[in-house]
Amino acid sequence: MTALWGAVVFSGLYHGINPGMGWPLAVSAALMEQRKASLWKAIAMLALGHALAMCAILLPFALMTTLVRWEIELRVGAGLLVIAMGVYLLINRRHPRYLARVHPSRLALWSFLAAMAHGAGLMLVPIYLGICGVDLDAGHQAAYSLMSKNAGLAVVVAIAHTIAMTVAGGAIALGVYHWLGLKFLSRSWFNLDVVWALSLILVGAMGVSLALGSI
């Protein structure tokens, strides 16, 4: 259980460090408006969009009334889905064009779409189902009770993940804004596309392995 919650936080830190999740947009907003408050506002909007994306992915799994009966199958299926997303991103390296069409003032919407397009929420699904699987042995409980419990847990997972993402991304954005500047971005830009795709495959494989290991 500790390892699974650690994975929720670690994946959030990883998402925050990844520039593809938006922290350069927060730096850009602060530099253009010459106000530090703009950076915090942008970070907040990015966090809101990311949290909504996490909930949008996790809640459907939480609301499945057959979660107890089909727990192993769901966890294996979720793991395979994450692996498929990672393989797709390895093959298709181009970023979705529609992200570039979102107005810069709509950072929450951009963050939501970016997280969905890059499979950020999918990365949490095997971890979340693993957390549920630890104590989902009360199959006699009423369906509504189970759904309520799982939905609440999904929201907690999404919030914990988003807080970690915001801390990591916000720290980098603040450092670039105050000390490193745009020259740092132009000289040391790092691309995590391949690492991101491989990490999806790794998380999916771990999810399948843990699910099959619990049989």
Side-chain angles (χ1 to χ4, degrees), residues 29-81:
L31 291 175
M32 285 193 297
E33 298 182 21
Q34 293 296 307
R35 292 192 308 157
K36 185 178 178 180
S38 298
L39 185 144
W40 295 120
K41 180 180 178 181
I43 288 293
M45 291 298 100
L46 291 170
L48 174 61
H50 198 84
L52 291 175
M54 300 304 103
C55 288
I57 293 295
L58 293 178
L59 284 176
F61 286 90
L63 298 178
M64 291 181 181
T65 58
T66 57
L67 189 57
V68 172
R69 181 177 298 178
W70 302 104
E71 176 194 349
I72 302 300
E73 290 80 357
L74 282 172
R75 291 172 65 182
V76 171
L80 293 176
L81 182 61

Coordinates of all heavy atoms in Angstrom, one line a residue, residues 29-81:
A29 N 3.9 33.2 -19.2 CA 2.9 34.1 -18.8 C 3.5 35.1 -17.8 O 3.2 36.3 -17.9 CB 1.8 33.3 -18.1
A30 N 4.4 34.7 -16.9 CA 5.0 35.6 -15.9 C 5.9 36.6 -16.6 O 5.9 37.8 -16.3 CB 5.7 34.9 -14.9
L31 N 6.7 36.1 -17.6 CA 7.6 37.0 -18.3 C 6.9 38.0 -19.2 O 7.3 39.2 -19.3 CB 8.6 36.2 -19.1 CG 9.6 35.3 -18.3 CD1 10.4 34.4 -19.3 CD2 10.5 36.2 -17.5
M32 N 5.8 37.6 -19.8 CA 5.1 38.5 -20.7 C 4.4 39.6 -19.9 O 4.4 40.7 -20.4 CB 4.1 37.7 -21.6 CG 4.7 36.9 -22.7 SD 3.5 36.3 -23.9 CE 2.5 35.2 -22.8
E33 N 3.8 39.2 -18.8 CA 3.1 40.2 -18.0 C 3.9 40.9 -17.0 O 3.5 41.8 -16.3 CB 1.9 39.5 -17.3 CG 0.9 38.9 -18.3 CD -0.3 38.3 -17.7 OE1 -0.6 38.7 -16.5 OE2 -1.0 37.4 -18.3
Q34 N 5.2 40.4 -16.8 CA 6.1 41.0 -15.9 C 5.5 41.0 -14.5 O 5.7 42.0 -13.7 CB 6.5 42.4 -16.3 CG 7.3 42.5 -17.6 CD 8.7 41.8 -17.4 OE1 9.4 42.1 -16.5 NE2 9.0 40.9 -18.3
R35 N 4.9 40.0 -14.1 CA 4.3 39.8 -12.8 C 4.4 38.4 -12.3 O 4.1 37.5 -13.0 CB 2.8 40.2 -12.8 CG 2.5 41.7 -13.1 CD 1.0 41.9 -12.8 NE 0.1 41.0 -13.5 CZ -1.1 40.7 -13.1 NH1 -1.6 41.3 -12.0 NH2 -1.9 39.8 -13.7
K36 N 4.9 38.3 -11.1 CA 5.1 37.0 -10.4 C 3.8 36.4 -10.2 O 3.6 35.1 -10.3 CB 5.9 37.1 -9.1 CG 6.2 35.8 -8.5 CD 7.0 36.0 -7.2 CE 7.3 34.7 -6.5 NZ 8.1 34.9 -5.3
A37 N 2.7 37.2 -9.9 CA 1.4 36.6 -9.7 C 0.9 35.9 -10.9 O 0.1 34.9 -10.7 CB 0.4 37.8 -9.3
S38 N 1.3 36.3 -12.1 CA 0.8 35.6 -13.3 C 1.4 34.2 -13.3 O 0.7 33.3 -13.8 CB 1.3 36.3 -14.5 OG 0.8 37.6 -14.6
L39 N 2.6 34.0 -12.8 CA 3.1 32.6 -12.7 C 2.3 31.7 -11.8 O 2.0 30.6 -12.2 CB 4.6 32.6 -12.2 CG 5.3 31.3 -12.2 CD1 6.8 31.5 -12.6 CD2 5.3 30.6 -10.9
W40 N 1.9 32.2 -10.7 CA 1.1 31.4 -9.7 C -0.3 31.1 -10.3 O -0.8 30.0 -10.1 CB 1.0 32.1 -8.4 CG 2.3 32.3 -7.7 CD1 2.9 33.4 -7.3 CD2 3.2 31.2 -7.3 NE1 4.1 33.2 -6.7 CE2 4.3 31.8 -6.6 CE3 3.2 29.8 -7.4 CZ2 5.4 31.1 -6.1 CZ3 4.2 29.1 -6.8 CH2 5.3 29.7 -6.2
K41 N -0.8 32.1 -11.0 CA -2.1 31.9 -11.6 C -2.1 30.9 -12.6 O -3.0 30.0 -12.7 CB -2.6 33.2 -12.2 CG -4.0 33.1 -12.8 CD -4.5 34.5 -13.4 CE -5.8 34.3 -14.1 NZ -6.2 35.6 -14.7
A42 N -1.0 30.9 -13.5 CA -0.9 29.9 -14.5 C -0.7 28.5 -13.9 O -1.3 27.5 -14.4 CB 0.3 30.3 -15.4
I43 N 0.1 28.4 -12.9 CA 0.4 27.1 -12.3 C -0.9 26.6 -11.7 O -1.2 25.4 -11.8 CB 1.4 27.3 -11.1 CG1 2.8 27.5 -11.7 CG2 1.4 26.0 -10.2 CD1 3.4 26.3 -12.5
A44 N -1.8 27.5 -11.1 CA -3.0 27.0 -10.5 C -4.0 26.5 -11.6 O -4.6 25.5 -11.5 CB -3.7 28.2 -9.8
M45 N -4.0 27.2 -12.8 CA -4.8 26.7 -13.9 C -4.4 25.4 -14.5 O -5.2 24.5 -14.8 CB -4.9 27.8 -15.0 CG -5.6 29.1 -14.6 SD -7.4 28.8 -14.2 CE -7.4 28.8 -12.4
L46 N -3.1 25.3 -14.6 CA -2.5 24.0 -15.1 C -2.8 22.9 -14.1 O -3.2 21.7 -14.5 CB -1.0 24.1 -15.2 CG -0.5 25.0 -16.4 CD1 1.0 25.2 -16.2 CD2 -0.8 24.4 -17.7
A47 N -2.7 23.1 -12.8 CA -3.1 22.1 -11.8 C -4.5 21.7 -11.9 O -4.9 20.5 -11.8 CB -2.7 22.6 -10.4
L48 N -5.4 22.7 -12.1 CA -6.8 22.5 -12.1 C -7.2 21.5 -13.3 O -7.9 20.6 -13.2 CB -7.6 23.8 -12.3 CG -9.1 23.6 -12.5 CD1 -9.8 22.9 -11.4 CD2 -9.8 25.0 -12.7
G49 N -6.6 21.9 -14.5 CA -6.8 21.1 -15.7 C -6.3 19.7 -15.5 O -6.9 18.7 -16.0
H50 N -5.1 19.5 -14.9 CA -4.5 18.2 -14.7 C -5.4 17.4 -13.8 O -5.6 16.2 -14.0 CB -3.1 18.4 -14.2 CG -2.2 17.2 -14.3 ND1 -1.6 16.9 -15.5 CD2 -2.0 16.2 -13.4 CE1 -0.9 15.7 -15.3 NE2 -1.1 15.3 -14.1
A51 N -5.8 18.0 -12.7 CA -6.7 17.3 -11.7 C -8.0 16.8 -12.4 O -8.4 15.6 -12.1 CB -7.0 18.1 -10.5
L52 N -8.6 17.6 -13.2 CA -9.8 17.2 -13.8 C -9.6 16.1 -14.8 O -10.4 15.2 -14.9 CB -10.4 18.4 -14.6 CG -11.0 19.6 -13.7 CD1 -11.4 20.7 -14.6 CD2 -12.1 19.1 -12.9
A53 N -8.4 16.1 -15.5 CA -8.1 15.0 -16.4 C -7.9 13.7 -15.6 O -8.3 12.6 -16.1 CB -6.8 15.3 -17.2
M54 N -7.2 13.8 -14.5 CA -7.0 12.6 -13.7 C -8.4 12.0 -13.2 O -8.6 10.8 -13.3 CB -6.2 12.9 -12.4 CG -4.8 13.4 -12.7 SD -3.8 12.4 -13.7 CE -3.9 13.2 -15.3
C55 N -9.3 12.9 -12.8 CA -10.6 12.4 -12.3 C -11.4 11.8 -13.5 O -12.1 10.8 -13.3 CB -11.4 13.5 -11.7 SG -10.7 14.0 -10.1
A56 N -11.3 12.5 -14.7 CA -12.0 12.0 -15.8 C -11.6 10.6 -16.2 O -12.4 9.8 -16.7 CB -11.8 12.9 -17.0
I57 N -10.3 10.2 -16.0 CA -9.8 8.9 -16.3 C -10.2 7.9 -15.2 O -10.6 6.8 -15.4 CB -8.3 8.9 -16.6 CG1 -8.0 9.7 -17.8 CG2 -7.8 7.5 -16.7 CD1 -8.5 9.1 -19.1
L58 N -10.0 8.3 -13.9 CA -10.1 7.4 -12.8 C -11.6 7.1 -12.4 O -11.9 5.9 -12.1 CB -9.4 7.9 -11.6 CG -7.9 8.0 -11.7 CD1 -7.3 8.6 -10.4 CD2 -7.3 6.6 -11.9
L59 N -12.5 8.1 -12.5 CA -13.8 7.9 -12.0 C -14.6 6.8 -12.8 O -15.4 6.1 -12.1 CB -14.6 9.2 -12.1 CG -14.2 10.2 -10.9 CD1 -14.9 11.5 -11.1 CD2 -14.6 9.6 -9.6
P60 N -14.5 6.7 -14.1 CA -15.2 5.6 -14.7 C -14.9 4.2 -14.2 O -15.7 3.3 -14.0 CB -14.8 5.7 -16.2 CG -14.5 7.1 -16.4 CD -13.9 7.5 -15.1
F61 N -13.6 4.0 -13.8 CA -13.2 2.7 -13.2 C -13.8 2.6 -11.8 O -14.2 1.5 -11.4 CB -11.7 2.6 -13.1 CG -11.0 2.4 -14.5 CD1 -10.6 3.5 -15.3 CD2 -10.8 1.1 -14.9 CE1 -10.0 3.2 -16.5 CE2 -10.2 0.9 -16.2 CZ -9.8 1.9 -17.0
A62 N -13.9 3.7 -11.1 CA -14.4 3.7 -9.7 C -15.9 3.4 -9.7 O -16.4 2.8 -8.8 CB -14.2 5.1 -9.0
L63 N -16.6 3.7 -10.8 CA -18.0 3.6 -10.8 C -18.5 2.2 -11.4 O -19.7 2.0 -11.6 CB -18.7 4.7 -11.6 CG -18.4 6.1 -11.0 CD1 -19.1 7.2 -11.9 CD2 -19.0 6.2 -9.6
M64 N -17.5 1.4 -11.7 CA -17.9 0.0 -12.2 C -18.4 -0.8 -11.1 O -17.6 -1.2 -10.2 CB -16.7 -0.6 -12.9 CG -16.3 0.1 -14.2 SD -14.9 -0.8 -15.0 CE -14.7 0.3 -16.4
T65 N -19.6 -1.2 -11.1 CA -20.2 -2.0 -9.9 C -19.6 -3.4 -9.9 O -19.7 -4.1 -8.9 CB -21.7 -2.1 -10.1 OG1 -22.1 -2.6 -11.3 CG2 -22.3 -0.7 -9.9
T66 N -19.0 -3.8 -11.0 CA -18.4 -5.2 -11.0 C -16.9 -5.2 -10.7 O -16.2 -6.2 -10.9 CB -18.6 -5.8 -12.4 OG1 -17.9 -4.9 -13.4 CG2 -20.0 -6.0 -12.8
L67 N -16.5 -4.1 -10.0 CA -15.1 -4.0 -9.7 C -14.5 -5.2 -8.9 O -13.4 -5.7 -9.1 CB -14.8 -2.7 -9.0 CG -13.3 -2.3 -8.8 CD1 -12.6 -2.3 -10.2 CD2 -13.2 -1.0 -8.1
V68 N -15.3 -5.6 -7.9 CA -14.9 -6.7 -7.0 C -14.8 -8.0 -7.8 O -13.8 -8.7 -7.8 CB -15.8 -6.8 -5.8 CG1 -15.5 -8.1 -5.0 CG2 -15.7 -5.6 -4.9
R69 N -15.9 -8.3 -8.5 CA -16.0 -9.6 -9.2 C -14.9 -9.7 -10.3 O -14.4 -10.7 -10.6 CB -17.4 -9.8 -9.8 CG -17.6 -11.1 -10.6 CD -19.0 -11.2 -11.0 NE -19.9 -11.3 -9.9 CZ -21.2 -11.3 -10.1 NH1 -21.8 -11.4 -11.3 NH2 -22.0 -11.4 -9.0
W70 N -14.7 -8.6 -11.0 CA -13.8 -8.6 -12.2 C -12.5 -7.8 -11.9 O -11.9 -7.2 -12.8 CB -14.5 -8.0 -13.4 CG -15.7 -8.7 -13.8 CD1 -17.0 -8.3 -13.5 CD2 -15.8 -10.0 -14.4 NE1 -17.9 -9.2 -14.0 CE2 -17.2 -10.3 -14.5 CE3 -14.9 -10.9 -14.9 CZ2 -17.7 -11.5 -15.1 CZ3 -15.3 -12.1 -15.5 CH2 -16.7 -12.3 -15.6
E71 N -12.1 -7.8 -10.6 CA -10.9 -7.0 -10.3 C -9.7 -7.3 -11.1 O -9.0 -6.4 -11.6 CB -10.6 -7.1 -8.8 CG -9.4 -6.4 -8.3 CD -8.9 -6.8 -6.9 OE1 -9.7 -7.5 -6.3 OE2 -7.8 -6.5 -6.6
I72 N -9.4 -8.6 -11.2 CA -8.1 -9.0 -11.8 C -8.2 -8.7 -13.3 O -7.3 -8.1 -13.9 CB -7.9 -10.6 -11.7 CG1 -7.8 -10.9 -10.2 CG2 -6.6 -11.0 -12.4 CD1 -6.7 -10.2 -9.5
E73 N -9.4 -8.9 -13.9 CA -9.5 -8.7 -15.4 C -9.4 -7.2 -15.7 O -8.8 -6.8 -16.6 CB -10.9 -9.2 -15.9 CG -11.0 -10.7 -15.9 CD -11.3 -11.3 -14.6 OE1 -11.3 -10.6 -13.6 OE2 -11.5 -12.6 -14.5
L74 N -10.0 -6.3 -14.8 CA -9.9 -4.9 -15.0 C -8.5 -4.4 -14.8 O -8.0 -3.6 -15.6 CB -10.8 -4.2 -13.9 CG -12.3 -4.2 -14.2 CD1 -13.1 -3.6 -13.0 CD2 -12.6 -3.3 -15.5
R75 N -7.8 -4.9 -13.9 CA -6.4 -4.5 -13.6 C -5.5 -4.9 -14.8 O -4.6 -4.1 -15.3 CB -5.9 -5.0 -12.3 CG -6.5 -4.4 -11.1 CD -6.1 -5.1 -9.8 NE -4.7 -4.9 -9.5 CZ -4.1 -5.5 -8.5 NH1 -4.8 -6.2 -7.6 NH2 -2.8 -5.3 -8.3
V76 N -5.7 -6.1 -15.3 CA -4.9 -6.6 -16.5 C -5.3 -5.7 -17.7 O -4.4 -5.3 -18.5 CB -5.2 -8.1 -16.8 CG1 -4.5 -8.5 -18.1 CG2 -4.6 -8.9 -15.6
G77 N -6.6 -5.5 -17.9 CA -7.0 -4.7 -19.1 C -6.5 -3.3 -19.0 O -6.0 -2.7 -20.0
A78 N -6.5 -2.7 -17.8 CA -6.0 -1.3 -17.7 C -4.5 -1.3 -17.9 O -4.0 -0.4 -18.6 CB -6.2 -0.8 -16.2
G79 N -3.7 -2.3 -17.5 CA -2.3 -2.4 -17.7 C -2.0 -2.5 -19.2 O -1.1 -1.8 -19.7
L80 N -2.8 -3.3 -19.9 CA -2.5 -3.5 -21.3 C -2.9 -2.2 -22.1 O -2.2 -1.8 -23.1 CB -3.4 -4.6 -21.9 CG -3.0 -6.0 -21.4 CD1 -4.0 -7.1 -21.9 CD2 -1.6 -6.4 -21.8
L81 N -3.9 -1.5 -21.6 CA -4.3 -0.2 -22.2 C -3.2 0.8 -22.1 O -2.8 1.6 -23.0 CB -5.6 0.3 -21.6 CG -6.1 1.6 -22.2 CD1 -6.5 1.5 -23.6 CD2 -7.3 2.1 -21.3

